[in-house]
């Protein structure tokens, strides 16, 4: 029976070694309780403890153990092993699914909380200019009214708050159009370096007011890309604005640099600063429209915090990417990937460049 289960050679060796261990000559040990227990343990490693006991008991009680019964027991053991392995695999899958669901639930909870914060912030941003407009308008239309310099000052305040209110509403509407894919894009072959430089010039006034130096590290190359010039400039201006307003370093610096040969078919330009950077917790949600963005700094500096979500949507629609790179606590580095174009197309006329973009 042992030969049938584990093979002749190993069965011979087991019985011979056992006989020698107990001082008997030859290969057949004394048939006693110890031998029965020893054989049962040897078989258990192959067919399981219960099956081994059943086989050995059958032999001890004088039953004939057929090859079919041994194979049936082995098949049963293998089936039990397969079933056990399947249960273990299913258990691992369930654990992984449970972990994924937990992470998804945590993410949804964070998004729900950020949505509430966003709506609360937007409501506050809307209410503040509306309250100011209403209050000053009521004073102006009152019978007593105001005259001269005070009247002009109040009208300027109303005008400024109206522009602020309109800007916030425009940002919300623009993000909605971009998410729905209904924003209009004028794709043309243009020089990304030239667009970036014009954006730097645009932000020089704010940089001087905030005592921030902007460095042009774009190099001398022309960088032909296929993009919407106004939209691409919007991305550069927004990133530079953040790099300036939220810097706060003693030697505050922001710079725009070209990174050659990062990815085939794309031009990469980075907007960097040496400010405090973005915390690890905020890095995961900084591009979410429900994120509070730059933490409390957003509220202190004004704005809805929609700039980065809008910029990412713009780059997605241009066929590129906008990512926040890991700067290890050394300020912020945003990488802008723009689909590259043929350098020769930069020298074509407006109509021909438009046809190249359309093609």
């Amino acid at each position: 029976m042992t030969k049938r289960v584990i093979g002749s050679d190993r069965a011979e060796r087991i019985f011979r070694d056992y006989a020698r261990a107990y001082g008997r000559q030859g290969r057949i040990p004394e048939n006693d309780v110890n031998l029965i227990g020893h054989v049962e343990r040897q078989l258990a490693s192959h067919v399981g403890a219960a099956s081994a006991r059943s086989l050995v008991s059958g032999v001890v009680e004088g039953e004939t153990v057929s090859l079919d019964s041994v194979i049936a027991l082995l098949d049963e053991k293998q089936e039990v092993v397969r079933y056990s392995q399947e249960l273990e695999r299913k258990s691992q899958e369930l654990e992984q699914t449970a972990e994924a669901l937990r992470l998804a639930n945590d993410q949804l909870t964070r998004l729900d909380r950020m949505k509430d914060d966003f709506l609360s912030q937007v409501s506050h941003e809307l209410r503040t200019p509306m309250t100011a407009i209403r209050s000053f308008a009521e004073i102006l239309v009152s019978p007593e009214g105001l005259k001269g310099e005070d009247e002009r000052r109040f009208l300027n305040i109303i005008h400024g708050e109206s522009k602020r209110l309109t800007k916030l509403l425009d940002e919300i509407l623009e993000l909605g159009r971009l998410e729905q894919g209904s924003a209009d894009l004028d794709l043309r072959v243009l020089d990304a370096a030239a667009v970036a430089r014009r954006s730097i010039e645009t932000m020089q006034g704010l940089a001087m007011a905030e005592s921030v130096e902007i460095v042009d590290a774009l190099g001398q190359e022309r960088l032909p890309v296929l993009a919407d010039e106004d939209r691409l400039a919007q991305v550069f201006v927004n990133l530079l604005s953040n790099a300036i307003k939220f810097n706060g370093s003693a030697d505050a610096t922001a710079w725009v640099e070209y990174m050659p040969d990062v990815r085939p078919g794309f031009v990469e330009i980075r907007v960097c600063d040496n400010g405090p950077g973005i915390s690890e917790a905020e890095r995961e949600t900084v591009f979410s429209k429900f994120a509070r963005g730059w933490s409390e700094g957003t509220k202190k500096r004004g704005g809805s915090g929609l700039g980065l979500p809008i910029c990412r949507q713009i780059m997605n629609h241009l066929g590129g990417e906008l990512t926040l790179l890991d700067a290890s606590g050394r300020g912020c580095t945003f990488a802008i990937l723009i689909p590259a174009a043929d350098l020769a197309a930069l020298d074509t006329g407006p109509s021909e460049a438009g046809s190249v973009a359309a093609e």
Side-chain angles (χ1 to χ4, degrees):
M1 182 270 293
T2 305
K3 288 180 180 179
R4 291 176 180 175
V5 175
I6 64 176
S8 297
D9 292 341
R10 187 170 181 187
E12 289 279 358
R13 187 168 61 253
I14 289 173
F15 278 80
R16 183 181 63 249
D17 293 346
Y18 187 84
R20 291 176 179 176
Y22 282 85
R24 290 177 62 89
Q25 297 298 322
R27 62 183 182 85
I28 303 299
E30 184 178 353
N31 188 10
D32 56 14
V33 174
N34 292 331
L35 174 62
I36 294 172
H38 180 68
V39 173
E40 185 178 314
R41 287 190 295 273
Q42 296 298 316
L43 296 178
S45 63
H46 291 265
V47 297
S51 297
R53 177 160 297 183
S54 176
L55 286 170
V56 173
S57 297
V59 173
V60 171
E61 294 172 3
E63 298 178 3
T64 300
V65 181
S66 66
L67 179 60
D68 291 340
S69 64
V70 173
I71 293 175
L73 283 171
L74 291 173
D75 290 343
E76 181 182 352
K77 173 62 178 179
Q78 290 175 352
E79 186 64 27
V80 170
V81 171
R82 283 196 297 269
Y83 183 67
S84 176
Q85 292 173 342
E86 183 67 17
L87 285 178
E88 183 177 358
R89 186 179 65 82
K90 291 290 186 183
S91 176
Q92 292 175 349
E93 289 178 355
L94 287 174
E95 290 179 1
Q96 293 172 355
T97 302
E99 178 65 14
L101 288 174
R102 186 187 66 78
L103 294 175
N105 183 67
D106 290 345
Q107 179 69 7
L108 288 173
T109 301
R110 287 196 299 270
L111 287 174
D112 187 62
R113 183 168 59 250
M114 288 189 293
K115 180 194 68 176
D116 292 340
D117 291 344
F118 170 79
L119 293 176
S120 175
Q121 181 179 342
V122 169
S123 298
H124 175 75
E125 292 290 339
L126 290 173
R127 184 178 181 83
T128 300
M130 290 177 65
T131 301
I133 292 170
R134 177 179 177 181
S135 299
F136 288 117
E138 287 176 348
I139 294 174
L140 289 172
V141 300
S142 65
E144 296 80 7
L146 292 172
K147 300 297 181 183
E149 188 63 30
D150 288 337
E151 183 179 21
R152 285 192 299 272
R153 184 166 61 87
F154 276 35
L155 287 173
N156 286 331
I157 293 174
I158 291 174
H159 181 251
E161 292 298 315
S162 300
K163 290 173 62 178
R164 177 183 167 193
L165 181 61
T166 301
K167 180 181 178 182
L168 176 60
L169 293 174
D170 286 344
E171 286 181 343
I172 296 174
L173 293 174
E174 180 181 17
L175 182 57
R177 287 193 298 268
L178 287 168
E179 289 179 333
Q180 295 170 9
S182 58
D184 294 329
L185 296 175
D186 182 18
L187 294 179
R188 292 180 176 274
V189 177
L190 50 91
D191 184 359
V195 177
R197 287 194 173 94
R198 286 195 293 272
S199 301
I200 292 174
E201 293 174 1
T202 300
M203 301 309 297
Q204 284 294 355
L206 177 63
M208 293 178 62
E210 298 287 341
S211 299
V212 177
E213 180 185 6
I214 305 180
V215 178
D216 179 349
L218 291 164
Q220 301 302 317
E221 293 186 56
R222 302 173 73 192
L223 305 177
V225 297
L226 181 62
D228 182 307
E229 184 172 355
D230 292 337
R231 293 293 190 175
L232 185 58
Q234 182 180 352
V235 173
F236 284 124
V237 166
N238 185 274
L239 295 178
L240 283 169
S241 175
N242 287 337
I244 294 168
K245 292 190 295 184
F246 303 104
N247 196 305
S249 300
D251 56 343
T253 306
W255 63 96
V256 183
E257 60 182 356
Y258 166 54
M259 302 297 295
D261 303 324
V262 173
R263 184 187 299 182
F266 289 88
V267 169
E268 178 171 317
I269 297 177
R270 295 181 180 180
V271 178
C272 316
D273 66 74
N274 63 342
I278 300 177
S279 69
E280 190 65 31
E282 290 177 326
R283 289 176 66 88
E284 298 180 1
T285 57
V286 71
F287 291 107
S288 169
K289 66 179 179 181
F290 294 138
R292 296 178 67 176
W294 300 69
S295 190
E296 296 301 322
T298 300
K299 289 187 175 182
K300 293 176 182 178
R301 291 287 190 169
S304 62
L306 293 176
L308 287 176
I310 289 175
C311 288
R312 170 164 279 188
Q313 287 292 333
I314 289 174
M315 293 313 304
N316 289 344
H317 283 280
L318 292 178
E321 294 179 7
L322 173 62
T323 55
L324 172 61
L325 303 183
D326 185 6
S328 302
R330 300 189 302 273
C332 291
T333 298
F334 287 92
I336 307 167
L337 273 174
I338 318 163
D342 188 356
L343 182 61
L346 283 176
D347 300 321
T348 61
S351 59
E352 294 180 15
S355 64
V356 170
E359 182 178 353

